[in-house]
Amino acid sequence: MKHDPEQIGEQLTAYLDGELDEPQRREMEKLIARRPEVRRRLEEMRRVSHLVSSLPRHDAPPSIAEDVQRHLERSALVDDWDGGRDEAPPVRLGWGRGLAVAAVVTLVAGVGWFLTREGQPGFTESLTFREKETVSPPPPAKRVPPPPSALQGLVASATLEQKLEAGLGPQVVKEHRFDNEPVRLEVHARSRSARDEIASRLVAYLAEASLTDAGTLETAASKSAPRRVEAFFYRGRSGVNFRAHNEQQILVRAPKKTLKTMLDQLADLASGGERIALQAGPARMRGAANVRAALSGLEGTVARGESETETLPEREDERLALRTDPFGELLRFIRMGSVPAEKETGENLSQAPKAKPGPTPAEPPEEAVANAPMTASTPSPGSVASADRSSGANRGTTLEGKETRDRSPRKARSARKRSRRAKKKKTTSEPSSLVERRLREIRRRRRAQPSPASPARAKGMPIKTPPDAQARGDASGDEYVTLVIAVRVDEPNVRQRGARPFSPQKKPKKSQARKFPSSS
Amino acid sequence: MEAAAGGQVETSDHPTPDSEGTRAVIRRPKMTGRVEADESPRPPPVEDVELIEKVRRGDIEAYGELVRRYQDRVFNACWRICGHLEDARDLTQDAFLRAFERLADFRGESRFYTWVFRIAVNLALSHRRQAQRRPWVSLDGANPDGSQARSLARRSADGSTDDPRDRVEEAELQGRVAHALLTLDPDHRAVIVLRDIEGMDYRTIAAVLDIPPGTVKSRLFRARSALADAVGKGEDRVARDRGNEGT
C-alpha cells in the first residue's frame, strides 16, 4: 500500500464503510495496528460518521404526495383540454368519473330535450331551479335543436362537482395564452403564511365584490351582474383554483376596471415586501407601478374609443421586431387579449347570450353537443367551445369551419372552402363513437394550433370595442381580461434583499487573495 | 443494500471495523419511512417496477404510492443538503414532479429511488449553489429550522438519557454537527449525506451523483476530515467558553 496520506485517508474511509476487498482490508488492519496516527484518524472519522448518522430526522410533510398527485391530475386535465402533451402519460378515467360523465351527458341531453319541448323563452334562466324536477322524455317527433343559449345555460347550471367529474371543472381553457403560457399576475410573497394570507384576502375581495365564483355559480347565473369574476375552484378548494406546490393560483376573468381595483388591493398587500409582476409568455413586467401602467394603457385604449385598430403586422419580420420589445408586446397582447363581450358569445368564451351578460361561463360537454342536431345558421356552442379550447385566443374559424366576420375576402374564401370540405367529410365519414369524435377533434385542434411565433391574432384580425359598451359610456365596458393570479413564495429573492451576513467561516480563497492583493 | 419498498425500516449489514480493527456489524436503520408494527401479516409490497408500469398506463394513484414510499428519504436528504425545511419540502415535491415528467426516460437500469435521488440531489445542489450566491442569515443563528430545539424537546420528552445536562450537551453537539455540515462544500455535503444519513453504498452514491466510485471515496474522506475539524473546533470553543465561565 502506498503511504501517501491522502491515499491512506481514502482507504481508511473505504475501510470504515466496509468498501474494501479482503486483501485491502487486511493490509489496512496491519497499517492501523502499526501506526497510532492512522488509528487516531480512523477513530475521528468513525465518530464523525456516527454523529452525522445520528442527526435527527424529519418525516416528510404528508401533504407532499397529495400535492404531487393533485398537481399531476390538474396537469392532466389541462393537457386534455389543450389537446394533450405527448410526453405526459395519459390519465385514465376511473369508473366513477366515467359514470359521472355519463350522468352529466344524460342530464344535459335530457333537460335539453325537455327545454326544446317546452320551447318557452326565458326558460333557460330558471333552469337552475327546475333541475331537480322530474323530466319526462319528450316525443321524438317534436325534437328540434335547442338554442345555443339554452345549452350554455344548462351547462352553467350543472353543479361544480358534475363539471369536475365531466372534465369541465377548472376551465383553464379560458386563460389567455401567449407562447403557450397563460397571462399571469404574479404576487411574490415572502413566506408561505404570507402567501396563504394574500390568497385568502384576494379571494375574500373577489367574493366581497359580489363577483361570482364556482361555488355560487347557480345563483350568479340567474343574475345579470355587469361585473363578473370567476374564481374556478378545483376540488372544492376554498376560493383557490389550485394549490400548486409553490403557489396558489386563482383564475380570474374580470373587467379591466375590476382588475385595476384588485391590483390596488394587491399593491396594499405588497407594501409588506411582496412583489407583483405581470407575465405573458416571455415578457414580464415587475413592480406594481409597471403592472398598473399596463392596465392603464389597456383602459386608455378603450377610453379613447379605439376600435378596429389593433392589428398585429402581417409580415413576419415586423412581428419579430415587435417581439424584441417585450413590454410593448405585453401591452399589446393584453390589449388584444381582452375580449369584447359581444365577441365572446360568438367566438371565444362561449359565455353569455348576446343580449345580456347572463349565465356564468361554462362549456357544454362535447358529447352533448355532438349529440345535438345542428343547423348551418345557428352557431353551435360546441364549435365555439372547441375553438376556444384550441387556442385560448380568438380564432378565425370554428371547428366546423364557420368563418368569422373580420376576415379578409381571400381568407374568407379559403375558410368557406374548408368549411365545405369539412361538411362533406362529416357527412361521408361520421365518427362512429365518442372516442373517435374526440380523437378527431384533438387532431384537428393540434393542426390548427398556432405556432408561438405566429399566434392566431397575428393574422391581422381586428379587435372591436363592443358597440353596446360604447353606448353605455362605460369606459371599461365588457372588456374582460382572463388571467391567472399566482401567489408565490419566492424565498431566495426575499432573502437576497436582506443584509449580507457576516460569515466568519468564509475566508477568501488564497487564489483570490493573490489575484487582488491589498493596496498596502 | 437498497431500500425495500413500503416504508419499512431496512437494516444494513455494514461490516464495520471497530477500534481494535476487528470487524463488527452495525445494524443501522436505513430508512425513515413510517415504521409499522409487524404484528399483523401484511401483503407483500408492490414492486416499484409494477407501480411504474401502472403510472405509465396513466394511473396517478400509483405514482402517489411511489411518492409516499420514498418521500421521507428524499426529504431528509434534501433537508440536510440545503439546510432548510421549507426548501426541502419544495425540492422534494419538485423532484417527484420532475421524475414524473421524465418517467419516459426511466429505463429501469437502476432502482427508482436511485433515480429519484439523483434528480433530488441535483436539484438540492443547484438550489444550494444559488443560495450561496445569495447568502442569508437566519435569526435563529446556526440552526435555521429550529431542529436543535425540537430535537432537544423531543429527547427531553422521551427521556432517552437521564441526565438533563447530558441531553443538553448531546443536543448542542448535534447542533454543531448540523451546522458544520452546512459549512461543507455542497458536493462534499451531498456525499456525506448519502453515505452517513441515507446509508448508500459507494456504487449507489456514484450512480446518484454521476461520478466515479473513486471520486466518492476521495470526497467522502475530505468531507469527513473537514467535518471532524469543524466539530473539533466547535468543541474547543465550547470548552474555552466553559473555562471562562468557571473562572
Side-chain angles (χ1 to χ4, degrees):
Chain A
M1 183 181 282
K2 292 174 190 172
H3 291 276
D4 172 26
E6 184 90 359
Q7 280 190 347
I8 291 176
E10 288 176 14
Q11 290 296 92
L12 206 57
T13 305
Y15 172 74
L16 178 69
D17 294 329
E19 294 273 348
L20 290 181
D21 55 24
E22 196 57 28
Q24 285 176 326
R25 190 183 61 78
R26 272 201 295 271
E27 199 172 343
M28 183 48 81
E29 280 170 1
K30 280 180 198 165
L31 192 69
I32 291 165
R34 210 169 50 238
R35 295 175 61 172
E37 75 273 14
V38 176
R39 201 158 50 238
R40 220 172 21 248
R41 195 71 176 158
L42 176 68
E43 276 307 304
E44 210 173 65
M45 284 206 274
R46 179 179 289 117
R47 179 165 176 260
V48 165
S49 175
H50 173 73
L51 283 173
V52 174
S53 61
S54 61
L55 279 174
R57 307 178 73 129
H58 265 282
D59 282 347
S63 59
I64 287 183
E66 191 192 332
D67 285 350
V68 167
Q69 251 179 279
R70 203 182 307 131
H71 186 104
L72 295 177
E73 281 170 11
R74 181 177 184 268
S75 305
L77 266 176
V78 174
D79 289 346
D80 195 32
W81 279 112
D82 284 349
R85 257 188 279 162
D86 288 337
E87 65 268 23
V91 176
R92 195 178 48 195
L93 282 179
W95 276 104
R97 280 193 185 179
L99 283 174
V101 169
V104 169
V105 168
T106 315
L107 175 74
V108 167
V111 181
W113 213 355
F114 178 63
L115 273 180
T116 339
R117 191 177 61 89
E118 291 286 321
Q120 294 169 1
F123 184 68
T124 313
E125 281 73 29
S126 61
L127 183 65
T128 307
F129 308 105
R130 293 202 179 194
E131 196 180 338
K132 288 178 182 174
E133 289 179 18
T134 312
V135 179
S136 58
K142 289 188 179 179
R143 192 173 168 183
V144 289
S149 58
L151 207 53
Q152 286 168 11
L154 184 65
V155 176
S157 71
T159 66
L160 175 65
E161 280 304 312
Q162 284 170 329
K163 284 181 179 181
L164 285 173
E165 294 301 328
L168 294 167
Q171 306 258 345
V172 284
V173 286
K174 288 178 196 148
E175 289 173 10
H176 289 172
R177 283 176 175 260
F178 189 73
D179 275 6
N180 208 28
E181 290 291 331
V183 179
R184 289 160 59 92
L185 179 63
E186 286 186 357
V187 183
H188 293 249
R190 59 169 59 186
S191 66
R192 279 170 184 273
S193 54
R195 176 196 66 187
D196 294 344
E197 194 195 331
I198 290 173
S200 53
R201 282 177 68 175
L202 201 54
V203 170
Y205 161 71
L206 297 177
E208 196 183 326
S210 305
L211 303 165
T212 178
D213 58 40
T216 56
L217 204 62
E218 292 181 2
T219 319
S222 62
K223 295 175 185 172
S224 54
R227 293 191 307 167
R228 288 192 307 236
V229 165
E230 299 153 13
F232 291 100
F233 291 13
Y234 183 63
R235 294 208 162 175
R237 299 254 157 196
S238 57
V240 175
N241 171 249
F242 175 63
R243 285 175 70 119
H245 64 284
N246 196 29
E247 67 183 30
Q248 295 204 16
Q249 297 173 358
I250 306 164
L251 184 62
V252 172
R253 179 174 169 273
K256 287 164 291 181
K257 203 173 174 182
T258 309
L259 278 181
K260 270 199 79 181
T261 317
M262 198 160 58
L263 192 69
D264 289 339
Q265 300 255 335
L266 284 173
D268 289 345
L269 292 172
S271 59
E274 283 73 24
R275 290 163 303 127
I276 289 174
L278 196 64
Q279 183 172 8
R284 175 189 283 260
M285 281 186 302
R286 289 195 173 85
N290 283 339
V291 175
R292 201 176 280 119
L295 289 171
S296 301
L298 179 77
E299 199 168 57
T301 307
V302 186
R304 284 198 304 274
E306 289 179 14
S307 61
E308 301 189 14
T309 53
E310 290 296 331
T311 51
L312 279 179
E314 290 266 356
R315 282 172 48 192
E316 185 64 33
D317 55 340
E318 285 176 4
R319 285 204 296 271
L320 206 64
L322 194 65
R323 291 174 70 83
T324 57
D325 175 17
F327 184 84
E329 188 183 13
L330 182 63
L331 266 178
R332 182 176 288 265
F333 170 69
I334 290 171
R335 237 178 260 161
M336 301 182 82
S338 57
V339 184
E342 189 187 32
K343 209 151 196 168
E344 285 164 22
T345 58
E347 289 178 28
N348 197 332
L349 292 176
S350 70
Q351 303 285 328
K354 281 186 184 179
K356 49 189 169 184
T360 44
E363 293 177 17
E366 55 194 344
E367 291 84 353
V369 171
N371 289 337
M374 292 171 191
T375 57
S377 58
T378 316
S380 89
S383 68
V384 168
S386 309
D388 174 41
R389 262 177 249 139
S390 60
S391 68
N394 278 348
R395 201 166 265 290
T397 52
T398 61
L399 284 181
E400 278 70 23
K402 286 190 188 66
E403 64 182 275
T404 52
R405 303 178 289 245
D406 303 321
R407 290 201 156 251
S408 67
R410 194 166 59 86
K411 283 177 183 170
R413 267 198 303 280
S414 62
R416 271 198 296 273
K417 271 185 191 174
R418 275 201 302 274
S419 165
R420 256 180 259 127
R421 246 181 270 137
K423 272 181 194 167
K424 198 174 172 186
K425 208 172 175 183
K426 199 176 173 184
T427 49
T428 51
S429 61
E430 190 64 30
S432 58
S433 70
L434 284 177
V435 178
E436 271 179 43
R437 257 199 295 265
R438 183 63 198 267
L439 280 173
R440 284 179 63 161
E441 193 188 333
I442 287 172
R443 272 187 227 118
R444 223 179 300 156
R445 253 190 273 155
R446 278 183 184 166
R447 276 201 300 275
Q449 194 83 20
S451 67
S454 58
R457 293 183 168 280
K459 291 177 182 171
M461 206 167 68
I463 301 294
K464 276 186 179 176
T465 306
D468 56 337
Q470 285 178 340
R472 282 200 303 269
D474 184 1
S476 59
D478 282 324
E479 296 260 341
Y480 284 85
V481 176
T482 309
L483 47 85
V484 172
I485 300 178
V487 191
R488 295 178 59 82
V489 183
D490 201 2
E491 285 170 298
N493 288 341
V494 173
R495 282 177 203 145
Q496 192 181 12
R497 275 192 255 131
R500 190 184 177 89
F502 171 67
S503 113
Q505 287 85 18
K506 287 186 182 169
K507 293 174 185 170
K509 287 181 184 172
K510 281 182 185 172
S511 58
Q512 284 177 343
R514 277 199 300 275
K515 213 170 178 181
F516 305 104
S518 63
S519 55
S520 61
Chain B
M1 197 61 80
E2 302 205 342
Q8 303 108 325
V9 167
E10 186 187 347
T11 55
S12 66
D13 294 351
H14 289 297
T16 310
D18 62 12
S19 54
E20 277 77 42
T22 55
R23 299 183 74 189
V25 172
I26 295 177
R27 296 187 73 81
R28 175 191 293 163
K30 286 180 63 184
M31 197 168 165
T32 54
R34 281 182 291 278
V35 184
E36 295 166 16
D38 281 327
E39 290 162 4
S40 59
R42 282 176 301 169
V46 185
E47 287 294 323
D48 289 355
V49 186
E50 289 173 42
L51 287 174
I52 290 165
E53 274 311 306
K54 281 186 181 176
V55 177
R56 282 183 173 148
R57 289 197 297 269
D59 187 350
I60 288 178
E61 284 291 330
Y63 195 70
E65 173 60 33
L66 276 173
V67 174
R68 275 186 287 277
R69 196 169 277 192
Y70 297 115
Q71 63 180 8
D72 285 340
R73 300 187 67 182
V74 172
F75 175 76
N76 272 287
C78 288
W79 174 36
R80 286 301 174 195
I81 291 173
C82 74
H84 202 270
L85 278 173
E86 287 290 319
D87 289 350
R89 186 192 182 285
D90 288 346
L91 288 168
T92 307
Q93 204 164 321
D94 271 353
F96 280 111
L97 286 172
R98 289 193 187 200
F100 181 84
E101 283 167 11
R102 299 177 195 169
L103 207 59
D105 302 336
F106 178 67
R107 292 172 194 164
E109 288 163 0
S110 60
R111 293 287 295 269
F112 176 73
Y113 98 98
T114 310
W115 187 66
V116 170
F117 254 91
R118 179 186 288 191
I119 295 171
V121 169
N122 282 334
L123 278 174
L125 286 176
S126 59
H127 174 272
R128 186 64 204 171
R129 286 188 194 110
Q130 279 174 3
Q132 274 185 337
R133 284 198 289 272
R134 297 186 294 243
W136 56 282
V137 68
S138 164
L139 290 176
D140 297 331
N143 207 285
D145 45 33
S147 61
Q148 185 181 342
R150 268 196 295 275
S151 167
L152 183 60
R154 197 165 48 237
R155 277 158 192 276
S156 302
D158 21 313
S160 51
T161 52
D162 293 334
D163 190 355
R165 197 172 150 180
D166 286 351
R167 290 202 293 267
V168 171
E169 277 178 6
E170 195 183 338
E172 275 179 359
L173 180 61
Q174 281 184 345
R176 277 201 301 277
V177 173
H179 181 53
L181 199 60
L182 289 177
T183 61
L184 292 182
D185 179 80
D187 290 331
H188 290 166
R189 195 184 319 149
V191 171
I192 210 164
V193 164
L194 294 181
R195 172 62 214 167
D196 288 335
I197 294 182
E198 284 307 312
M200 288 181 181
D201 61 8
Y202 286 11
R203 224 179 61 192
T204 314
I205 296 173
V208 167
L209 296 175
D210 203 17
I211 53 175
T215 310
V216 174
K217 200 158 62 175
S218 60
R219 279 189 191 175
L220 202 50
F221 166 63
R222 285 183 204 143
R224 281 176 179 159
S225 300
L227 206 54
D229 289 347
V231 173
K233 277 179 194 166
E235 283 175 343
D236 290 347
R237 201 167 50 240
V238 171
R240 244 192 345 262
D241 291 347
R242 283 192 181 146
N244 290 340
E245 279 171 19
T247 58

